[in-house]
Amino acid sequence: MHLAIGTSLAIMVANGAVSVFNHRKRGGVDTDLLKDWGPFVVMGVVLGSGVASSLKSETLTILFVIITFFMSAYMGFSKDSFSKAQKSDKKAETFHPFFFFFVGLFS
């Protein structure tokens, strides 16, 4: 399980970097937002990597199922539209920076 997570993470990082680079060329990246949230997400990822390395594969599988279930339930029952890019996301400004730490931690 750990090897599968590491391989998957490596692919996501590479794809994400290429995507950010290409979107930034077209002006589609809010760099101020990235600068505000980025450090907290990175700190969460570093801590999460340490925690994940000490967990058993069964525990990681259960955590994956639980997080995926709640994310899909939220997206399925939410009244927000996930199909369109939001022009001004004022809700994101109200989140506490530590929310993004936990996003990185659980990812």
Side-chain angles (χ1 to χ4, degrees):
M1 182 68 168
H2 290 84
L3 181 62
I5 290 173
T7 304
S8 177
L9 180 61
I11 291 169
M12 285 187 277
V13 167
N15 285 336
V18 170
S19 179
V20 167
F21 178 75
N22 288 329
H23 280 85
R24 188 165 186 248
K25 282 196 306 190
R26 295 184 198 112
V29 175
D30 186 350
T31 53
D32 291 333
L33 193 66
L34 192 60
K35 289 176 187 174
D36 289 343
W37 293 1
F40 294 100
V41 173
V42 170
M43 286 188 293
V45 167
V46 169
L47 182 63
S49 297
V51 170
S53 67
S54 67
L55 296 176
K56 295 180 181 180
S57 294
E58 294 82 17
T59 306
L60 290 173
T61 303
I62 291 168
L63 284 172
F64 176 78
V65 169
I66 291 170
I67 291 169
T68 304
F69 172 78
F70 283 110
M71 286 177 55
S72 61
Y74 174 77
M75 291 177 75
F77 295 112
S78 177
K79 294 182 181 179
D80 293 338
S81 173
F82 289 98
S83 61
K84 298 178 184 176
Q86 306 217 352
K87 292 180 183 173
S88 175
D89 192 358
K90 294 295 180 188
K91 287 191 301 185
E93 295 174 6
T94 63
F95 282 125
H96 195 275
F98 289 107
F99 170 79
F100 303 105
F101 172 79
F102 288 109
V103 168
L105 178 69
F106 288 115
S107 66

